[in-house]
Every structure is written in C-alpha cells, then in structure tokens.
Amino acid sequence: MRKGFSIIGITCALALAGCGGTGSETADDTSTEATGSELSVPLPEGWSQIGGTSDFSAIEAAPKLPTNVTDGTGTEVKIKDIDKIIVAGDGIASTLGALGLTDNIEAAPENSIAPEGIDAPQHFEFGKNTGVEGLLAMNGTLFIGDNTQRHGDVAGQFRDAGTDAVVMDDQQPQRDKLKAVASYVGAAEAGEELAKTVDNQLADAAKTAKESGKQGLSIVEVTATGAGGQNSVAGTGTPGNEIIETLGYTSVGAESNLRGYSREFSNEGIVASAPDVIVMTESDYEKWGGEDGLWKAFPTLDQTPAGQNSAIFVMPDAQLKYSSPEIGAGAQALAEAVAKLP
C-alpha cells in the first residue's frame, strides 16, 4: 500500500473547481453485472458500469414503541411516533425502505436520489441559507438526521418544538448506521438482521479481493455532488471509503485525511496520489456529462495510472455513495471488477 501521499490542497489557488467552505439474501445472491439505471451518456471504451443485486424482502420490521435511544450526538430521546418521518438523506430513506417502512417516510430532501426519498409525499431544501421552520411546518412526528455536525442543532430545535428528533453518527461503520436507524424506529431486531446481511456480503467481497492479489491497489472515489454540491473526493465516513478499506485497498481520500465528501484537494495532489482505480456513481457521471466533464472537474486525473489505463468504474448510487444497505452488493461488484483488471 502507498503511504504518505496527500491530495489536500494548501490554498484555494491550488484547488480544483469548487474550492471553498465546506429474510435476507446470502452473499451468493450478488452478481457483478450492471444493475443500475441505463446511462444517458455512453461510457468511453475501457470504462465499465458495474453493480450487484440484493433482496431484503424477507426483512420486515415490527416497530415497538415507545423506545428510548441514545443518538449519535449522545442525546437520550424517547421516540413515540414514527408515522411521519422526516429523513435528512438517502441513507436514512434507503434503510427504512429495506426495513419495509417506506410508507412511514413523510419528507425527504428535494435532491434525493434514493427511490424511497424521491417518492416521499413532501420534499424540502435545507442549507446554510434556510432554517428549520419549513421542516417543522411539515408536521412530521420524527426527524432523523444523518450528520452529527450538520444536524445536531436541527434536531435540538425539533425537540424544543415538541417533535422527536435523532441524529445518526455519520462516522461509524455501515453496519452500525443500519442498526442505529432501525433502533430509532423501534426495530432493533430487524436492524441486526439487516446488518448481518450486509456484513456477510462485505466479508464475501473481502475474500474475493484478497484472493485476487490486487489489494495493493489504491482507489479514489470522486463525485460531482459532494460538499456544497461541488466536485469532491470521498474520505472517511463515506460508504465508498468503507467499501474500499474493507476490501483491503488503499483509499486515496482516507490517506489524505479527508472527512466526508471534501473539496480540499489539488491538481498536484491528485497526480501525486497516483490512484490505480477511479470509482464514481451513475448520477455523478451523468451530471458531468461523460468523460470530458470528469476531466474538466479533475484536470489531472487523466494523468494518473487509473486514467491512463481506463481503470474506471461507474456504480449505482445506492451501492457506493450513500449509506444504503446496498453497499454490500456494491462491494462484491467492485471486488470482482478489480480482480479482472490486467
């Protein structure tokens, strides 16, 4: 594994575009054929669209309320009603979907890409320039945040207004994120089952990666919609980073001490990190408009071993980008795809 490199930019003058402020199936049920949406922009020669499959239909939560929980901020909350849940992100929405609780989702962000979020009855925009008044007006019975730094104060305002609210710890392992969400809706047992399913898939994927002899490779995940909706590199706390490290590869973002989806990278740093593989989601690829848009967003990425060798994989968003139970299937798909590289 490579050690000691960094893609963090020293100043914004060096940074790339966007610098600024911030029952279940067994592992054998997953294939690496592309199972995501049909891309509107054709892939360049040598690039691959990959993905796995999962079936959570046998997992069905039986919520027991009220339930007392301690959320990711260390706050003790008594949750009494989950009929109208306001979810802060796609990971929360997809986990509720896997638990059979899609119909309990009342509101989700307007930029949702998870089907469960897209189909929510109400949508909202939340950012630095918007407050929680609009969220409170949606008359939800429970708010679930997905980032302790971003949603801690929001949850507090919900509770002050008499609405239960919790925040998931975004830096914990994926299995714990799934279990946390399940516990918030009084379905801890279903959460354990869901986590076990994903653990089995991740273990199977790690075995494939080890047997391939390719664990010395480094992988970078890039996105068009990271911090502040800008071009970013995935670091610690992101599902993609967890997949990469679980498989035994070197994560460029983690090695560069990036947290979440970060814009703190530079042209020089991208070249120095010399990733062997590039991964991105389908929505990112389409937002960039294809290959030219990617190279414009990251001008030196095509000079890296991954760019020169077209070792580039496009994956379903649920299997790479957000904290979905689908990341187990994504890990299996990535391990098998990397194993086939020359």
Side-chain angles (χ1 to χ4, degrees), residues 16-335:
L16 301 178
C19 181
T22 306
S24 61
E25 83 291 7
T26 64
D28 293 333
D29 290 327
T30 301
S31 67
T32 56
E33 296 180 0
T35 59
S37 59
E38 182 177 351
L39 296 173
S40 62
V41 183
L43 286 177
E45 183 177 357
W47 295 27
S48 300
Q49 183 182 15
I50 64 172
T53 57
S54 292
D55 179 11
F56 303 115
S57 61
I59 299 176
E60 186 171 353
K64 299 177 182 178
L65 300 171
T67 183
N68 296 306
V69 300
T70 301
D71 77 351
T73 67
T75 304
E76 296 182 3
V77 182
K78 183 176 183 178
I79 298 173
K80 303 174 288 296
D81 189 343
I82 63 169
D83 285 346
K84 299 172 66 176
I85 303 174
I86 299 175
V87 300
D90 287 311
I92 305 295
S94 63
T95 301
L96 292 174
L99 293 171
L101 298 174
T102 299
D103 290 343
N104 292 66
I105 300 174
E106 174 65 22
E110 64 179 11
N111 61 351
S112 295
I113 50 180
E116 298 87 354
I118 293 173
D119 293 338
Q122 300 187 70
H123 293 90
F124 59 86
E125 178 184 2
F126 184 81
K128 292 182 179 179
N129 299 322
T130 59
V132 300
E133 292 83 3
L135 295 180
L136 290 170
M138 291 179 170
N139 295 317
T141 59
L142 172 65
F143 170 79
I144 304 180
D146 64 2
N147 185 295
T148 54
Q149 292 186 350
R150 191 178 305 129
H151 300 138
D153 289 341
V154 177
Q157 292 182 59
F158 265 97
R159 291 191 292 268
D160 289 342
T163 301
D164 297 337
V166 288
V167 184
M168 178 186 73
D169 178 4
D170 56 301
Q171 292 295 298
Q172 64 188 330
Q174 179 63 21
R175 69 182 319 274
D176 293 331
K177 292 179 182 179
L178 301 176
K179 290 167 62 177
V181 173
S183 72
Y184 299 156
V185 295
E189 291 183 5
E192 291 283 354
E193 187 176 357
L194 188 60
K196 182 178 180 181
T197 297
V198 175
D199 280 347
N200 288 341
Q201 290 178 314
L202 291 173
D204 178 77
K207 180 180 178 182
T208 297
K210 183 176 181 179
E211 292 175 347
S212 74
K214 300 286 180 64
Q215 287 184 306
L217 300 183
S218 66
I219 301 180
V220 62
E221 179 194 349
V222 292
T223 175
T225 56
Q230 302 296 320
N231 298 314
S232 305
V233 172
T236 63
T238 61
N241 184 79
E242 181 171 341
I243 288 175
I244 293 166
E245 294 193 326
T246 296
L247 298 183
Y249 309 126
T250 297
S251 165
V252 168
E255 288 292 302
S256 298
N257 297 315
L258 301 181
R259 183 184 191 278
Y261 292 103
S262 175
R263 290 175 283 173
E264 295 182 0
F265 52 83
S266 68
N267 292 332
E268 294 83 356
I270 288 286
V271 173
S273 67
D276 300 296
V277 177
I278 300 167
V279 293
M280 70 192 75
T281 65
E282 295 165 352
S283 67
D284 290 321
Y285 177 74
E286 295 201 322
K287 183 166 185 178
W288 282 316
E291 179 181 17
D292 291 343
L294 172 64
W295 303 144
K296 182 177 180 180
F298 299 88
T300 58
L301 196 57
D302 63 340
Q303 301 172 27
T304 65
Q308 293 293 301
N309 297 324
S310 293
I312 302 173
F313 301 120
V314 179
M315 301 177 62
D317 289 70
Q319 297 184 19
L320 180 69
K321 193 169 188 177
Y322 56 88
S323 300
S324 160
E326 292 284 342
I327 75 159
Q332 290 175 310
L334 181 60

